[in-house]
């Protein structure tokens, strides 16, 4: 059972940037998918981006394509989410999660993920 710790959240103005990190307490498995999800108050949890650990292939929600970049650092057992051109609608708690048995078609499905971090708050002001 892996423990996940998110960091890097904060308050920035619209148009600014933040980089979030997801660190594994032990390690990610080769077949893992690591995803970022977000949830605003009174909103459903939504998919943001995901990466497969071994191959490094990535998928993004349409709402963040061209603005967010997900990446992995194998040596540090860390997944990062670089967020540029931030908008007020990006305000949410951001969660890192691990799916131990991902498929290409379901990497964006929150219910498929097995482990979740506690989240980091991202607030974008107008």
């Amino acid at each position: 059972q892996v423990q996940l710790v998110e960091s890097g959240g904060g308050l920035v103005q619209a148009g600014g940037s933040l980089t979030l990190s997801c660190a594994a307490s032990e390690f990610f498995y080769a077949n893992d998918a690591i995803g970022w999800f977000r949830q605003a108050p009174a909103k459903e949890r939504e998919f943001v981006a995901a990466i497969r650990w071994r191959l490094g292939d990535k998928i993004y929600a349409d709402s963040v394509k061209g603005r967010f970049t997900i990446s992995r650092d194998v040596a540090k057992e860390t997944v990062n989410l670089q967020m540029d051109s931030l908008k007020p609608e990006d305000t949410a708690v951001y969660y890192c999660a691990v799916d131990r048995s991902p498929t290409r078609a379901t990497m964006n499905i929150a219910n498929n993920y097995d482990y979740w971090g506690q989240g980091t708050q991202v607030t974008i002001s107008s």
Side-chain angles (χ1 to χ4, degrees):
Q1 185 173 0
V2 63
Q3 301 290 322
L4 304 174
V5 180
E6 303 98 333
S7 61
L11 172 64
V12 298
Q13 295 186 88
S17 298
L18 282 173
T19 299
L20 306 182
S21 294
C22 173
S25 60
E26 296 180 356
F27 49 84
F28 295 116
Y29 291 175
N31 292 331
D32 283 348
I34 301 90
W36 285 98
F37 295 79
R38 64 188 183 187
Q39 188 166 20
K43 302 288 187 179
E44 294 184 350
R45 189 182 307 156
E46 66 173 337
F47 170 76
V48 177
I51 185 169
R52 289 200 287 190
W53 188 250
R54 181 173 60 194
L55 296 178
D57 53 321
K58 309 164 185 178
I59 60 170
Y60 296 93
D62 288 342
S63 60
V64 305
K65 284 182 180 177
R67 300 190 297 122
F68 291 10
T69 303
I70 189 170
S71 62
R72 78 206 199 284
D73 187 328
V74 175
K76 296 180 179 179
E77 299 288 344
T78 299
V79 171
N80 298 316
L81 183 69
Q82 181 178 335
M83 305 185 295
D84 298 318
S85 301
L86 284 162
K87 305 174 181 179
E89 52 261 45
D90 295 318
T91 295
V93 176
Y94 283 69
Y95 298 92
C96 177
V98 172
D99 183 357
R100 294 263 112 111
S101 57
T103 67
R104 188 178 67 181
T106 59
M107 288 171 60
N108 63 335
I109 306 299
N111 287 344
N112 287 347
Y113 283 74
D114 302 292
Y115 304 104
W116 293 81
Q118 297 186 71
T120 186
Q121 177 71 49
V122 172
T123 303
I124 313 302
S125 61
S126 301

